[in-house]
Structure formats: structure tokens, C-alpha cells
Amino acid sequence: MTRSIALVVLSAVLWAMGGTWYYDCKIKRVCGPETAEPEVAAAVAAAPAEADAVIAPAAAAATTTTTSRETAPAPQAAVSLTVYFGRKSTDIVVPAASAAALPELLAATREGRKLRVVGHSDARGKPALKAELSAQRALILRDWLLAQGIPATAIAAVESQEDREPVADNATAAGRAQNRRAVATLVTKE
């Protein structure tokens, strides 16, 4: 009798834990590094801060010559937000630096700037699976941005780059974890 009660209690606890994970990760689409695979958490920690919130002059290398006393307008800053995913997964991991860049993205989109959302995968696996995962990752980041208050009209493009733009070496587990990402970047204002 006590064994069956213990089994019922254990089942209830496991069901509650699974329900919490499902709600956080699948419905709210917010899984922190503490709930991610260890290699994803390590990749998020190892990723340079610039990869999470890049703010760099868009035309730093360009030189401008003016013939009058007017000055050229200041170049727009390129701001991006990077999130990561587990192996063969669409569970989103939002690093703190990316979450910190969100207010800047919100302000820029309110001023009429547009976002480009791109999903990526690592180099392992079948091409069809990499294409599907990177496309899903881009859509998940888009949905997460919409849930955070970014207007749907501010998203100019949602693309899949698969494994064509790696940011780290695909020969290591940590490098592959950094390549499994989705990036939202502000499009330069024309």
C-alpha cells in the first residue's frame, strides 16, 4: 500500500517538473543556460560579449568627403541579438547580454528601423535537417522578439543560413554549440 502511494507521489512530482519545463521552454520559449545542455551553457559563457550585443559603426572603414560646410550624418550603429540552441534542438537559450540588448532593439524599431532574423546550424548532420533546424531557429527567434514587444512590421526578413556562416570551429563541441544560433540584426537605415 505504501509503495503504491510513493509511486503516485513520485509520478506527481515528475509530472510537475516536466510540466514546468514544457511551459518554460516550449510555450514561453525561454530556457535559460541553467536548463540547457552543458555544452550550450559553456558556449554561451565562452561566446564573446560582442557576439551577444554587437554595437559597431556601420561605416567605420568608409571615408566621406564633403565639399560644403555641412557634415555627413553620423553612421547608424549595427545592433544584433544572438540566441543559442541545443544539438538537434529548437529550445532557445537567451544569454544575459542578448536580453540586455533588447531595449535598444525595441527603441530602434519604434523609430522605424527594421530587423533581419537569421537562423544557423552547426556543420554536423544531414543537409535537410540542418536546413529545417536553422529555418525553425529563425522563426523561434522571430516569435520570441514578437513576444518581447517588437512589432511584426519591424521584421524585414527571416532567413536560414544553415551552416554557411560559422562563427566558431565546427571541429569542437564548443565551436558547434556557438554555431547553433539565431541572430537578429538591425538593418542599416537608408
Side-chain angles (χ1 to χ4, degrees), residues 4-96:
S4 63
I5 292 173
L7 186 58
V8 168
V9 169
L10 178 63
S11 298
V13 168
L14 290 175
W15 179 81
M17 288 173 47
T20 302
W21 171 85
Y22 186 84
Y23 177 75
D24 286 344
C25 295
K26 296 296 184 183
I27 296 174
K28 288 180 16 183
R29 297 239 184 245
V30 178
C31 296
E34 64 278 355
T35 62
E37 298 173 12
E39 66 180 24
V40 175
V44 169
E50 304 87 45
D52 294 334
V54 177
I55 302 171
T63 56
T64 341
T65 348
T66 55
T67 53
S68 67
R69 291 185 178 254
E70 295 178 21
T71 58
Q76 292 287 331
V79 179
S80 69
L81 181 142
T82 303
V83 296
Y84 298 93
F85 298 88
R87 184 174 168 266
K88 294 183 181 178
S89 172
T90 55
D91 295 337
I92 190 170
V93 177
V94 182

Side-chain angles (χ1 to χ4, degrees), residues 152-169:
T153 56
I155 298 179
V158 178
E159 303 171 7
S160 167
Q161 284 297 321
E162 300 170 24
D163 62 348
R164 292 187 289 264
E165 295 178 351
V167 293
D169 186 7

Side-chain angles (χ1 to χ4, degrees), residues 119-180:
H120 300 273
S121 67
D122 62 24
R124 287 200 169 170
K126 295 180 181 177
L129 178 62
K130 292 187 288 188
E132 180 183 341
L133 278 173
S134 60
Q136 286 178 355
R137 289 169 179 164
L139 292 172
I140 287 168
L141 178 55
R142 179 206 59 193
D143 292 346
W144 183 83
L145 290 167
L146 294 174
Q148 303 307 312
I150 299 285
T153 56
I155 298 179
V158 178
E159 303 171 7
S160 167
Q161 284 297 321
E162 300 170 24
D163 62 348
R164 292 187 289 264
E165 295 178 351
V167 293
D169 186 7
N170 275 303
T172 66
R176 288 189 297 275
Q178 287 182 31
N179 289 331
R180 292 188 299 264

Side-chain angles (χ1 to χ4, degrees), residues 88-112:
K88 294 183 181 178
S89 172
T90 55
D91 295 337
I92 190 170
V93 177
V94 182
S98 289
L102 186 61
E104 195 167 349
L105 288 179
L106 283 165
T109 55
R110 284 189 196 116
E111 295 171 358

